[in-house]
Amino acid sequence: MLMRTDPLREFDKLAQQLLGTAARPTVMPLDAYRTGDTFTVEFDLPGVAPESIDIERNVLTVTAERSQSLPEGAEPVLAERSRGTFSRQLFLGDSLDTDRIEARYDSGVLTLRIPVAERAKPRRVVVSGGSEQPREIKG
């Protein structure tokens, strides 16, 4: 027999039935990091079908949907996994090349790789003056 350990679960279930929405916000946890010239964002989306994932570029918006998939005639005993539509927005700076975003979904993790824009990469400027030889300055 399964026991419920969340005392507010019944309240959430009732609120969802009455309002037609989840009482608790659905969560899409993520990690973000930079390695060299690539910015990487990893979203946990277990049980989400890849075709339900939608990515917009201007403000990086990731939307995914997970529906309940019980066999016909099954009676739920315990339902703790979040279902519904998940959405998360990240505001990307001008230093990233949003036209070259790469997306991969594997084992419930959506990984986005966004290259740093060429205009944001450090560049060298040659400076010369008078009778001196030109010298390079990193900028």
Side-chain angles (χ1 to χ4, degrees), residues 80-92:
E80 293 183 347
R81 295 175 27 200
S82 299
R83 287 163 180 77
T85 302
F86 304 85
S87 184
R88 190 81 189 255
Q89 289 186 325
L90 297 175
F91 295 91
L92 302 177

Side-chain angles (χ1 to χ4, degrees), residues 105-119:
Y105 183 69
D106 186 35
S107 299
V109 177
L110 172 64
T111 301
L112 303 179
R113 287 193 169 75
I114 310 159
V116 172
E118 288 298 320
R119 66 184 173 276

Side-chain angles (χ1 to χ4, degrees), residues 65-76:
E65 185 174 344
R66 182 186 309 134
S67 59
Q68 187 167 13
S69 58
L70 294 176
E72 189 175 325
E75 180 180 334

Side-chain angles (χ1 to χ4, degrees), residues 54-76:
D54 185 34
I55 301 169
E56 297 178 22
R57 294 182 192 184
N58 297 341
V59 172
L60 181 62
T61 304
V62 177
T63 305
E65 185 174 344
R66 182 186 309 134
S67 59
Q68 187 167 13
S69 58
L70 294 176
E72 189 175 325
E75 180 180 334

